[in-house]
Amino acid sequence: MAQCSGWTVWPGAPYPLGATWDGYGVNFALFSAGAERVELCLFDSSGQHEQARIPLSEYTDQIWHACLPECRPGQLYGYRVYGPYDPANGRRFNGNKLLIDPYARALAGRIHWHDALFSYRTDSLHKDLSFDRRDSARYMAKGVVTAGPSPWTRDEESRPQRPHTPWSQTVLYEAHVAGLSRRHPHVPASQRGTYAGLASEPILRHLQSLGVTAIELLPVFPFLDEQHLVQKGLTNYWGYNPFAFFTPHAGYMGETGGDEFKLMVHRFHEAGMEVILDVVFNHTAEGSHLGPTISLRGIDNLSYYLTVPGNARYYMDHTGCGNTLNIPHPRVMQMVTDSLRYWMTEMGVDGFRFDLALSLARLPNGYHPGCPFLSAIGQDPILSRAKLIAEPWDLGLGGYQVGRFPPGWAEWNDRFRDTVRGFWRGDYGLVSDLATRVTGSSDLFKHDGRRPQASINFITAHDGFALHDLVSYTVKHNEANGEENHDGTDHNISWNCGVEGETVDQSVNALRQRQKKNILATLILSQGVPMLVAGDEMGRTQHGNNNAYCQDNTVSWVDWSMSRAEDSALFDFTCMLLRLRRRYAAFRRTTFFTGAVVPPLGIKDVTWLSVSGCEMQVEEWRAPFIRCFGFHLSSSMTDHTDIVNHPLAHEGFIILLNAHDGPVDFRLPTGAYGKRWTRVFDTARNDSPESAEETFLSSSLYPLEPHSFVLLICDKKPGGVEDEPRLQRAVSKIVMNRSRQHTPGYSRQQHKKIWRKARTQQPRRKRSWMKVKH
């Protein structure tokens, strides 16, 4: 025991890392392999006055540590780390710079841009090779000692039950915490733009009526507004610029503060929805070798960051953001996995989408599915149970690896995005690729036991055009970003339907509405996991801005007014599509199509149809000018798994797609597939689902309008499918077999009772998509 600046100092322990209150005192522990000494700096409640500097004299396994028995929760702190300042060799220690604890569970204040944040003299000709002696403390955020988990967080029984939605039933909804509620008229003004506002009743009710099962939130880690944005009067709206990994971004905290994030997760779980976080572990806000020193760079630059081999002054930049975290380092790996477990166990989230995930899965020679990071996640008893989503690319060499992540991971499928966009734009030669995409992208994911749900299907995301803009703009319009429209991609694969931007031309607006429906129908009824972007279901626009990362304003915020009639109609249409997906397992199979005959139906699980109504031949797949085709889906018996609550039933569907500029008379297939077909919807028609119903006989011509998507369902009324008795016998056999598997101790009479119950619970003829329930 020792005394320092009036504080009693005990040796403490090297674990856990961070500042930990145990009821008797606070243990401080910080990893730094290259430091020569470390000081713990304590501040008053304002964060402006440094009260004490306490040397961490204990050094165990490269961990500097001490315990202050007189310290209490609420104490503000930071670190100063001393060692060699030799940037040419990657050593950037500077004790004049206050550093944020990477394990801080809360932060006070914010980072204010000032030249004192840099370890070098910004006006020096030698740039980062020079040395700056100014104290940065007054411009820095400070860590806050917390009291530990809330009682309901510690007690599993007091938490709401996690939804545990199967991947096959998952519908993702990508949203910005603040942007989703900023303009909602029924969210209390004090809650708009906050975690509480996100979980408010109007937002939850909207998501439930839509049919969303999981919300995927843009980054919630504390992030820094880049200096060049601040100089332009802009901010980093998206938040992909983190500097801490264990606390929610304070800018989204409302009046309640404290546990607001946890309570938000709690409310989503009560509403039956999961919470998935978009996490950024590929880089930090410290940027390139010319960036500020606010945390990891000053703690141990060579351990935390990948530097250029043979020239450690510079960083390997696989991210385009100036640096790349050194994930293979054991302590960096520990920090990342500790963070993920913290967000799952203490904050209650259900999964993660990893930004530029390839940067985390690299070895010196490039990406490898057996890398330390992926192996660590796969064996972890907590993290391996999370929903794991990879953005399977980065900017490094070999930085595109869609479909190559290991089992247990789902991946953003940009091949799906580009193919669907191109097809509905009218591009030629995409029919074969589109057929592969809508059936789960087996060419990418059918390996190592992976299923169609490994494909996260999306058309739009936070970056790029919104759905409305995708059919309203052919080129980007990013002038508001202050970079003379040079930022953002030019590869939009969009079509403005004849007029650039908004128009009063009714024919153009009608075509745009039809195109939005075509795209949504293709997305939601394809195999895999669909991801919607907040507001797309209501016609949200960013006015042609395809890189709105710095637009914290009405450009990015979701507009809830639905002022145009077509906006509410689009919402109703999206709800109907998601009800169809929930109702029929044919649209969310757990296995890939094989092209094999499905017993006892005598037809293939998927049959590709030409406009003649016959199965497509090889030469038709290769024909470069085809932009119209169809396919028949047969529900596999194994797609219906609940033998009591959801009786087994076969439904056959025909989907027709026409991206031509003119109409096509599409002949329906022969009676072997079904004798009568009822139209569920046709995107070329503006009628309601009730009036959309019309019956078509097998081998008849369906008048397929230009730029349209049609869904037909097999009508099994008397006079319908001829093999219905044979089908019923097959269903009965499967029900009995499954009953025996699930209830091995039951008698034959009890098994028959289950079978009869399944038979009597056949759905009524009234279609579940008919009415939209708000």
Side-chain angles (χ1 to χ4, degrees), residues 356-644:
L356 299 181
L358 211 68
S359 296
L360 287 73
R362 282 185 175 273
L363 295 176
N365 295 326
Y367 168 76
H368 194 284
C371 70
F373 173 73
L374 296 179
S375 298
I377 297 293
Q379 62 78 43
D380 190 285
I382 295 174
L383 300 181
S384 61
R385 300 200 306 267
K387 277 189 165 68
L388 303 171
I389 304 172
E391 184 182 33
W393 52 78
D394 66 11
L395 302 185
L397 186 65
Y400 185 80
Q401 299 290 337
V402 175
R404 294 200 59 202
F405 271 68
W409 286 77
E411 304 175 40
W412 271 27
N413 187 353
D414 66 330
R415 292 276 299 276
F416 181 94
R417 175 198 65 194
D418 293 351
T419 301
V420 174
R421 285 188 180 193
F423 177 81
W424 287 115
R425 185 173 67 171
D427 294 357
Y428 290 111
L430 291 178
V431 169
S432 178
D433 197 31
L434 182 64
T436 303
R437 301 300 144 233
V438 300
T439 52
S441 296
S442 59
D443 60 329
L444 300 174
F445 301 107
K446 191 177 180 181
H447 61 85
D448 297 328
R450 303 182 78 185
R451 294 174 179 264
Q453 288 70 42
S455 176
I456 303 297
N457 298 332
F458 68 103
I459 305 296
T460 59
H462 60 275
D463 51 348
F465 278 149
L467 178 60
H468 178 79
D469 295 351
L470 190 65
V471 299
S472 304
Y473 297 87
T474 298
V475 296
K476 66 187 180 184
H477 297 270
N478 297 354
E479 291 80 6
N481 296 354
E483 299 182 37
E484 299 181 347
N485 206 32
H486 294 313
D487 64 304
T489 182
D490 292 312
H491 185 62
N492 297 299
I493 320 181
S494 61
W495 176 44
N496 62 20
C497 297
V499 177
E500 186 72 1
E502 298 303 318
T503 181
V504 295
D505 189 315
Q506 293 184 1
S507 62
V508 172
N509 287 330
L511 177 56
R512 289 176 177 176
Q513 180 78 347
R514 188 185 303 181
Q515 286 287 79
K516 286 185 279 188
K517 288 183 176 182
N518 293 337
I519 291 170
L520 285 170
T522 308
L523 170 66
I524 293 172
L525 300 184
S526 290
Q527 307 302 319
V529 178
M531 185 185 80
L532 300 169
V533 175
D536 275 355
E537 74 278 14
M538 300 179 289
R540 181 180 74 94
T541 178
Q542 294 181 167
H543 310 293
N545 193 323
N546 74 352
N547 190 35
Y549 78 103
C550 57
Q551 299 297 321
D552 189 4
N553 49 48
T554 55
V555 172
S556 298
W557 301 342
V558 174
D559 181 3
W560 293 89
S561 65
M562 288 197 271
S563 55
R564 300 171 299 187
E566 57 262 33
D567 293 340
S568 58
L570 187 66
F571 174 74
D572 291 345
F573 182 76
T574 308
C575 290
M576 182 264 291
L577 289 172
L578 288 171
R579 280 197 300 277
L580 284 169
R581 183 179 177 87
R582 287 195 303 275
R583 172 67 180 87
Y584 297 109
F587 302 121
R588 46 182 176 82
R589 288 171 55 100
T590 57
T591 57
F592 287 102
F593 289 104
T594 64
V597 173
V598 178
L601 304 178
I603 54 178
K604 296 179 180 179
D605 52 5
V606 60
T607 304
W608 303 100
L609 304 172
S610 67
V611 295
S612 66
C614 299
E615 186 169 0
M616 290 185 68
Q617 303 301 309
V618 174
E619 58 272 15
E620 293 176 294
W621 287 114
R622 296 173 179 172
F625 302 114
I626 291 181
R627 291 186 293 180
C628 178
F629 73 109
F631 56 101
H632 174 271
L633 293 180
S634 297
S635 291
S636 168
M637 299 299 179
T638 58
D639 288 334
H640 304 260
T641 57
D642 192 332
I643 65 171
V644 175

Side-chain angles (χ1 to χ4, degrees), residues 41 138 144 149 178 260-261 281 290 306 324 341 373 399 418 432 449 466 474 552 605 640 645 694 724:
C41 303
R138 63 180 298 186
V144 182
E260 187 172 328
F261 182 92
F281 291 113
L290 298 178
L306 285 174
T324 304
R341 279 189 292 269
F373 173 73
D418 293 351
S432 178
T474 298
D552 189 4
D605 52 5
H640 304 260
N645 296 328
E694 184 177 343
E724 190 73 16

Side-chain angles (χ1 to χ4, degrees), residues 677-700:
W677 295 91
T678 300
R679 180 173 56 215
V680 180
F681 67 82
D682 182 338
T683 59
R685 299 171 61 92
N686 294 321
D687 45 17
S688 64
E690 291 90 339
S691 58
E693 276 206 350
E694 184 177 343
T695 300
F696 299 84
L697 298 178
S698 61
S699 300
S700 64

